[in-house]
Each structure stands twice: as C-alpha cells, then as structure tokens.
Amino acid sequence: MEDNIINIVTVLIVSVIIVTCSIGIIVASTFQQKKKKKYNEFLKILEEKNDSTFQVKDYLTKDEINKIDSEIDVDLLMKNLYETYLTLENKMNTFDDNLDEVLTGYLKDFYINKIENFKEKNFADIKDRIELVGYCITEFKKEALKFRVTINCLSYKMINNKIVSGSNLDKVQEILLLSYKKIDDKWLIESYEKIYEKKIE
C-alpha cells in the first residue's frame, strides 16, 4: 500500500516537473519568437529609413565652422582628419604602437596595450581595403571636434593567421564617430566609436 502511494506521489511529482518545464519552454520560446519578430521589424525599418536617417542635417557647414574659427580651411582640415584615421587603422593592421601623432589621452594608452596584447596572442583585428563614402564635422570648437566617417571596408579578426570572424571577401559599411583634440596645432583622436555597421550585398 505504502509502495503504491510512493509510486503515485513520485508520478505526480515527475508529472508536475514535466508540465512546469514544458510551460517554461513554451513561454521562453514564445518570448524569443516575439523578440526576434520585433528585432526583424526594427532591422526592416532601419533599412528602409537608413538613407533618410543620415540625410537629416546633423553636421556643420563650412560657414558654420568658419564663424567659430575663420582661419581654418575646412576642406583641408577634414582631409587631414581622415588621413589621421587611416593612419590609425594601418598601425592597428601592422601592430605599430607608435601612436604619438595619431592618438591622445586614455585612448592612446588603451590602443598601445591593445596592440601589445594582440602581438602576444597572435591576434589581429583587420580593417582593410577602406573606401571613403563620406565624412563631415558634427561638432566644432577651436580645440575639439567630432568627425563622422562613413566607409566601406573588409573587416575581420584572425588568430594564428586564420580568420575567426568577419570576412576578407565581403565588404561591410561602417559609420564611425571620432572625437579629436587639438594638441600643439595637431588634431589627435581621443575617442573612437562605431555607431553603425551593415553588410554590403
């Protein structure tokens, strides 16, 4: 009799556990599906609105910059800012930690340590075949500015000369926001943020 009761109780407990787990799986699955649906809807909207999003005026014109500093050749300044950015990417690709003419402040120390760690671990974070899509200055002061760059490039990571993520065949488009600080009449990068990336089909 006692064995029967124990068996019944055991069956009930196991059944409750199975039902509870099943409900949990169903709820989790439903939640994931809803989350995935919302994410796909967001991506679709972003894709549809992408061009118009970045056409909204969120940059400074030459006249606006020259009102702040009339001595600046804005075209030459942006060209030099972009070349400084390219120098940084080239130094990262070649593990060159001489960043005195490129970076400043915390970012300089961070990248020097990053390059040393990459060397030790035989790791590489490559950005190659960079093509300029466009650039602009979004904020400007006499000693500091923000520079937005849109590029197409190959972007991939390697360990022991083997690609572990990204692609060395298919390009991506990236939008970068770089902050520069003027030190001894040279504009150096003090922050680097990738704000958008998509595969180019």
Side-chain angles (χ1 to χ4, degrees):
M1 182 71 175
E2 288 181 2
D3 289 342
N4 287 338
I5 292 171
I6 291 171
N7 288 338
I8 291 170
V9 171
T10 302
V11 169
L12 285 173
I13 291 171
V14 171
S15 298
V16 169
I17 291 171
I18 291 171
V19 170
T20 303
C21 289
S22 298
I23 291 171
I25 291 169
I26 292 168
V27 170
S29 177
T30 303
F31 176 76
Q32 285 296 330
Q33 286 177 353
K34 287 181 179 179
K35 188 176 178 182
K36 187 175 180 180
K37 184 180 178 183
K38 286 182 179 180
Y39 178 71
N40 288 334
E41 288 173 354
F42 169 76
L43 286 180
K44 186 178 179 182
I45 291 169
L46 185 62
E47 196 67 34
E48 290 172 352
K49 300 294 184 182
N50 180 43
D51 291 336
S52 60
T53 297
F54 293 104
Q55 285 172 4
V56 175
K57 186 184 178 299
D58 53 353
Y59 62 91
L60 298 176
T61 64
K62 293 180 190 178
D63 288 341
E64 288 170 331
I65 294 169
N66 283 140
K67 282 180 183 178
I68 300 169
D69 190 340
S70 59
E71 296 181 1
I72 282 186
D73 180 332
V74 179
D75 288 329
L76 180 59
L77 171 62
M78 290 196 290
K79 181 176 180 290
N80 290 338
L81 295 174
Y82 181 63
E83 286 176 355
T84 300
Y85 159 71
L86 289 179
T87 300
L88 172 61
E89 296 296 0
N90 183 59
K91 285 179 177 288
M92 287 299 297
N93 289 350
T94 57
F95 303 107
D96 182 354
D97 61 2
N98 181 9
L99 302 172
D100 292 343
E101 299 297 306
V102 183
L103 302 179
T104 186
Y106 164 77
L107 192 67
K108 178 182 169 184
D109 296 333
F110 174 78
Y111 268 80
I112 289 172
N113 290 332
K114 191 175 184 179
I115 289 170
E116 290 306 313
N117 286 334
F118 283 4
K119 286 180 184 176
E120 289 175 11
K121 297 174 181 177
N122 205 13
F123 178 86
D125 189 352
I126 304 295
K127 196 169 287 186
D128 197 12
R129 287 175 54 193
I130 297 172
E131 297 174 355
L132 176 65
V133 176
Y135 53 49
C136 63
I137 293 172
T138 62
E139 295 180 25
F140 182 83
K141 296 177 183 176
K142 286 191 174 184
E143 304 299 326
L145 62 81
K146 288 190 177 180
F147 186 58
R148 190 176 67 228
V149 182
T150 303
I151 57 170
N152 294 337
C153 64
L154 296 174
S155 180
Y156 54 96
K157 295 177 174 59
M158 301 177 70
I159 297 177
N160 297 322
N161 296 318
K162 292 183 180 179
I163 295 175
V164 293
S165 71
S167 171
N168 65 346
L169 298 174
D170 300 320
K171 286 194 171 186
V172 295
Q173 183 169 104
E174 296 182 353
I175 299 176
L176 311 170
L177 187 60
L178 309 170
S179 295
Y180 288 73
K181 189 173 182 179
K182 193 174 184 182
I183 298 176
D184 296 330
D185 289 327
K186 187 167 182 66
W187 290 96
L188 304 178
I189 302 170
E190 66 173 354
S191 85
Y192 178 125
E193 182 183 2
K194 181 164 66 178
I195 57 177
Y196 181 75
E197 179 179 317
K198 73 170 182 178
K199 291 181 180 178
I200 299 174
E201 297 179 355

mmCIF file of all heavy atoms in Angstrom, residues 30 52 61 67 74 77 93 96 106 108 115 126 131 140 153 172 178 180-181 184 195 201:
data_model
loop_
_atom_site.group_PDB
_atom_site.id
_atom_site.type_symbol
_atom_site.label_atom_id
_atom_site.label_comp_id
_atom_site.label_asym_id
_atom_site.label_seq_id
_atom_site.Cartn_x
_atom_site.Cartn_y
_atom_site.Cartn_z
ATOM 1 N N THR A 30 8.020 31.345 -26.929
ATOM 2 C CA THR A 30 7.118 32.420 -27.376
ATOM 3 C C THR A 30 7.792 33.772 -27.222
ATOM 4 O O THR A 30 7.725 34.627 -28.118
ATOM 5 C CB THR A 30 5.807 32.395 -26.555
ATOM 6 O OG1 THR A 30 5.206 31.110 -26.692
ATOM 7 C CG2 THR A 30 4.846 33.463 -27.049
ATOM 8 N N SER A 52 17.383 58.168 -45.362
ATOM 9 C CA SER A 52 16.794 59.406 -44.869
ATOM 10 C C SER A 52 17.298 59.753 -43.475
ATOM 11 O O SER A 52 17.430 60.918 -43.125
ATOM 12 C CB SER A 52 15.261 59.298 -44.856
ATOM 13 O OG SER A 52 14.848 58.241 -44.023
ATOM 14 N N THR A 61 28.173 73.100 -41.489
ATOM 15 C CA THR A 61 28.622 73.564 -42.803
ATOM 16 C C THR A 61 29.968 74.286 -42.644
ATOM 17 O O THR A 61 30.385 74.629 -41.533
ATOM 18 C CB THR A 61 27.606 74.537 -43.414
ATOM 19 O OG1 THR A 61 27.531 75.713 -42.583
ATOM 20 C CG2 THR A 61 26.226 73.899 -43.506
ATOM 21 N N LYS A 67 32.647 80.505 -38.806
ATOM 22 C CA LYS A 67 32.164 81.508 -37.859
ATOM 23 C C LYS A 67 32.829 81.316 -36.491
ATOM 24 O O LYS A 67 33.019 82.268 -35.738
ATOM 25 C CB LYS A 67 30.642 81.417 -37.711
ATOM 26 C CG LYS A 67 29.882 82.059 -38.858
ATOM 27 C CD LYS A 67 28.385 81.929 -38.660
ATOM 28 C CE LYS A 67 27.627 82.522 -39.850
ATOM 29 N NZ LYS A 67 26.152 82.357 -39.704
ATOM 30 N N VAL A 74 38.408 74.412 -44.049
ATOM 31 C CA VAL A 74 37.590 73.277 -43.614
ATOM 32 C C VAL A 74 37.850 72.031 -44.457
ATOM 33 O O VAL A 74 37.969 70.919 -43.929
ATOM 34 C CB VAL A 74 36.088 73.636 -43.618
ATOM 35 C CG1 VAL A 74 35.252 72.426 -43.195
ATOM 36 C CG2 VAL A 74 35.825 74.807 -42.682
ATOM 37 N N LEU A 77 41.147 70.603 -43.446
ATOM 38 C CA LEU A 77 41.019 70.034 -42.104
ATOM 39 C C LEU A 77 40.395 68.645 -42.164
ATOM 40 O O LEU A 77 40.922 67.692 -41.570
ATOM 41 C CB LEU A 77 40.164 70.956 -41.218
ATOM 42 C CG LEU A 77 39.764 70.381 -39.849
ATOM 43 C CD1 LEU A 77 41.001 70.102 -38.992
ATOM 44 C CD2 LEU A 77 38.801 71.326 -39.126
ATOM 45 N N ASN A 93 46.668 47.386 -38.128
ATOM 46 C CA ASN A 93 46.894 46.234 -39.010
ATOM 47 C C ASN A 93 48.333 45.727 -38.952
ATOM 48 O O ASN A 93 48.590 44.540 -39.161
ATOM 49 C CB ASN A 93 46.548 46.593 -40.460
ATOM 50 C CG ASN A 93 45.060 46.758 -40.684
ATOM 51 O OD1 ASN A 93 44.243 46.435 -39.826
ATOM 52 N ND2 ASN A 93 44.693 47.285 -41.841
ATOM 53 N N ASP A 96 51.801 48.472 -35.101
ATOM 54 C CA ASP A 96 52.708 49.596 -34.833
ATOM 55 C C ASP A 96 52.147 50.399 -33.663
ATOM 56 O O ASP A 96 51.111 51.054 -33.786
ATOM 57 C CB ASP A 96 52.816 50.466 -36.092
ATOM 58 C CG ASP A 96 53.768 51.633 -35.905
ATOM 59 O OD1 ASP A 96 54.269 51.845 -34.778
ATOM 60 O OD2 ASP A 96 53.987 52.364 -36.893
ATOM 61 N N TYR A 106 43.574 58.822 -22.819
ATOM 62 C CA TYR A 106 43.297 57.440 -22.434
ATOM 63 C C TYR A 106 43.300 56.514 -23.652
ATOM 64 O O TYR A 106 43.777 55.380 -23.581
ATOM 65 C CB TYR A 106 41.942 57.368 -21.732
ATOM 66 C CG TYR A 106 41.374 55.977 -21.635
ATOM 67 C CD1 TYR A 106 41.851 55.075 -20.690
ATOM 68 C CD2 TYR A 106 40.370 55.547 -22.514
ATOM 69 C CE1 TYR A 106 41.350 53.786 -20.612
ATOM 70 C CE2 TYR A 106 39.867 54.263 -22.447
ATOM 71 C CZ TYR A 106 40.354 53.387 -21.490
ATOM 72 O OH TYR A 106 39.863 52.123 -21.428
ATOM 73 N N LYS A 108 45.014 56.581 -26.368
ATOM 74 C CA LYS A 108 46.383 56.233 -26.789
ATOM 75 C C LYS A 108 46.931 55.079 -25.935
ATOM 76 O O LYS A 108 47.438 54.090 -26.468
ATOM 77 C CB LYS A 108 47.277 57.460 -26.667
ATOM 78 C CG LYS A 108 48.734 57.205 -27.022
ATOM 79 C CD LYS A 108 49.539 58.478 -26.831
ATOM 80 C CE LYS A 108 51.020 58.205 -26.924
ATOM 81 N NZ LYS A 108 51.830 59.419 -26.646
ATOM 82 N N ILE A 115 47.502 46.680 -28.778
ATOM 83 C CA ILE A 115 48.444 46.179 -29.779
ATOM 84 C C ILE A 115 49.412 45.177 -29.159
ATOM 85 O O ILE A 115 49.711 44.121 -29.745
ATOM 86 C CB ILE A 115 49.209 47.349 -30.441
ATOM 87 C CG1 ILE A 115 48.252 48.146 -31.349
ATOM 88 C CG2 ILE A 115 50.408 46.843 -31.248
ATOM 89 C CD1 ILE A 115 48.816 49.458 -31.858
ATOM 90 N N ILE A 126 41.596 43.201 -38.261
ATOM 91 C CA ILE A 126 41.969 43.840 -39.523
ATOM 92 C C ILE A 126 40.809 44.636 -40.124
ATOM 93 O O ILE A 126 39.674 44.170 -40.186
ATOM 94 C CB ILE A 126 42.419 42.784 -40.558
ATOM 95 C CG1 ILE A 126 43.578 41.944 -39.999
ATOM 96 C CG2 ILE A 126 42.804 43.447 -41.873
ATOM 97 C CD1 ILE A 126 44.842 42.701 -39.758
ATOM 98 N N GLU A 131 37.293 52.139 -48.335
ATOM 99 C CA GLU A 131 36.827 53.089 -49.345
ATOM 100 C C GLU A 131 35.999 54.163 -48.639
ATOM 101 O O GLU A 131 35.075 53.842 -47.886
ATOM 102 C CB GLU A 131 35.942 52.390 -50.383
ATOM 103 C CG GLU A 131 36.656 51.324 -51.188
ATOM 104 C CD GLU A 131 35.693 50.563 -52.092
ATOM 105 O OE1 GLU A 131 34.470 50.817 -52.014
ATOM 106 O OE2 GLU A 131 36.142 49.700 -52.856
ATOM 107 N N PHE A 140 32.054 71.332 -33.414
ATOM 108 C CA PHE A 140 33.345 72.005 -33.576
ATOM 109 C C PHE A 140 33.563 73.078 -32.521
ATOM 110 O O PHE A 140 32.694 73.917 -32.270
ATOM 111 C CB PHE A 140 33.445 72.639 -34.966
ATOM 112 C CG PHE A 140 34.770 73.299 -35.218
ATOM 113 C CD1 PHE A 140 35.859 72.554 -35.632
ATOM 114 C CD2 PHE A 140 34.938 74.666 -35.006
ATOM 115 C CE1 PHE A 140 37.098 73.152 -35.842
ATOM 116 C CE2 PHE A 140 36.169 75.272 -35.214
ATOM 117 C CZ PHE A 140 37.255 74.515 -35.636
ATOM 118 N N CYS A 153 34.499 48.670 -46.198
ATOM 119 C CA CYS A 153 35.792 48.022 -45.944
ATOM 120 C C CYS A 153 35.624 46.524 -45.708
ATOM 121 O O CYS A 153 34.512 46.030 -45.502
ATOM 122 C CB CYS A 153 36.457 48.644 -44.715
ATOM 123 S SG CYS A 153 35.532 48.388 -43.180
ATOM 124 N N VAL A 172 31.783 45.429 -45.641
ATOM 125 C CA VAL A 172 30.719 45.985 -44.802
ATOM 126 C C VAL A 172 30.796 47.500 -44.896
ATOM 127 O O VAL A 172 31.824 48.069 -45.268
ATOM 128 C CB VAL A 172 30.861 45.554 -43.325
ATOM 129 C CG1 VAL A 172 30.683 44.064 -43.176
ATOM 130 C CG2 VAL A 172 32.193 46.007 -42.741
ATOM 131 N N LEU A 178 34.334 59.934 -34.513
ATOM 132 C CA LEU A 178 35.658 60.147 -33.921
ATOM 133 C C LEU A 178 35.712 61.520 -33.262
ATOM 134 O O LEU A 178 35.291 62.507 -33.864
ATOM 135 C CB LEU A 178 36.738 60.060 -35.000
ATOM 136 C CG LEU A 178 36.711 58.822 -35.899
ATOM 137 C CD1 LEU A 178 37.671 59.001 -37.067
ATOM 138 C CD2 LEU A 178 37.072 57.576 -35.115
ATOM 139 N N TYR A 180 38.220 64.416 -31.816
ATOM 140 C CA TYR A 180 39.600 64.871 -31.941
ATOM 141 C C TYR A 180 39.859 66.012 -30.958
ATOM 142 O O TYR A 180 38.957 66.806 -30.663
ATOM 143 C CB TYR A 180 39.875 65.403 -33.356
ATOM 144 C CG TYR A 180 39.959 64.349 -34.432
ATOM 145 C CD1 TYR A 180 38.823 63.687 -34.884
ATOM 146 C CD2 TYR A 180 41.181 64.035 -35.029
ATOM 147 C CE1 TYR A 180 38.895 62.738 -35.893
ATOM 148 C CE2 TYR A 180 41.261 63.090 -36.048
ATOM 149 C CZ TYR A 180 40.117 62.443 -36.470
ATOM 150 O OH TYR A 180 40.191 61.508 -37.463
ATOM 151 N N LYS A 181 41.105 66.085 -30.507
ATOM 152 C CA LYS A 181 41.533 67.179 -29.647
ATOM 153 C C LYS A 181 42.764 67.822 -30.284
ATOM 154 O O LYS A 181 43.660 67.124 -30.763
ATOM 155 C CB LYS A 181 41.867 66.656 -28.252
ATOM 156 C CG LYS A 181 42.124 67.742 -27.233
ATOM 157 C CD LYS A 181 42.272 67.142 -25.835
ATOM 158 C CE LYS A 181 42.470 68.232 -24.796
ATOM 159 N NZ LYS A 181 42.595 67.660 -23.430
ATOM 160 N N ASP A 184 49.150 71.018 -29.688
ATOM 161 C CA ASP A 184 50.316 71.556 -30.406
ATOM 162 C C ASP A 184 50.024 71.685 -31.900
ATOM 163 O O ASP A 184 50.809 71.243 -32.757
ATOM 164 C CB ASP A 184 51.547 70.667 -30.180
ATOM 165 C CG ASP A 184 51.975 70.649 -28.721
ATOM 166 O OD1 ASP A 184 51.762 71.666 -28.029
ATOM 167 O OD2 ASP A 184 52.496 69.610 -28.271
ATOM 168 N N ILE A 195 29.248 53.496 -34.800
ATOM 169 C CA ILE A 195 27.829 53.691 -34.471
ATOM 170 C C ILE A 195 26.885 52.937 -35.402
ATOM 171 O O ILE A 195 25.691 52.846 -35.128
ATOM 172 C CB ILE A 195 27.461 55.200 -34.465
ATOM 173 C CG1 ILE A 195 27.779 55.867 -35.821
ATOM 174 C CG2 ILE A 195 28.198 55.925 -33.344
ATOM 175 C CD1 ILE A 195 27.359 57.328 -35.887
ATOM 176 N N GLU A 201 25.488 44.085 -49.768
ATOM 177 C CA GLU A 201 25.000 42.965 -50.580
ATOM 178 C C GLU A 201 25.250 43.226 -52.060
ATOM 179 O O GLU A 201 25.268 44.347 -52.516
ATOM 180 C CB GLU A 201 23.512 42.745 -50.328
ATOM 181 C CG GLU A 201 23.251 42.359 -48.884
ATOM 182 C CD GLU A 201 21.753 42.152 -48.600
ATOM 183 O OE1 GLU A 201 20.945 42.408 -49.524
ATOM 184 O OE2 GLU A 201 21.419 41.770 -47.489
#
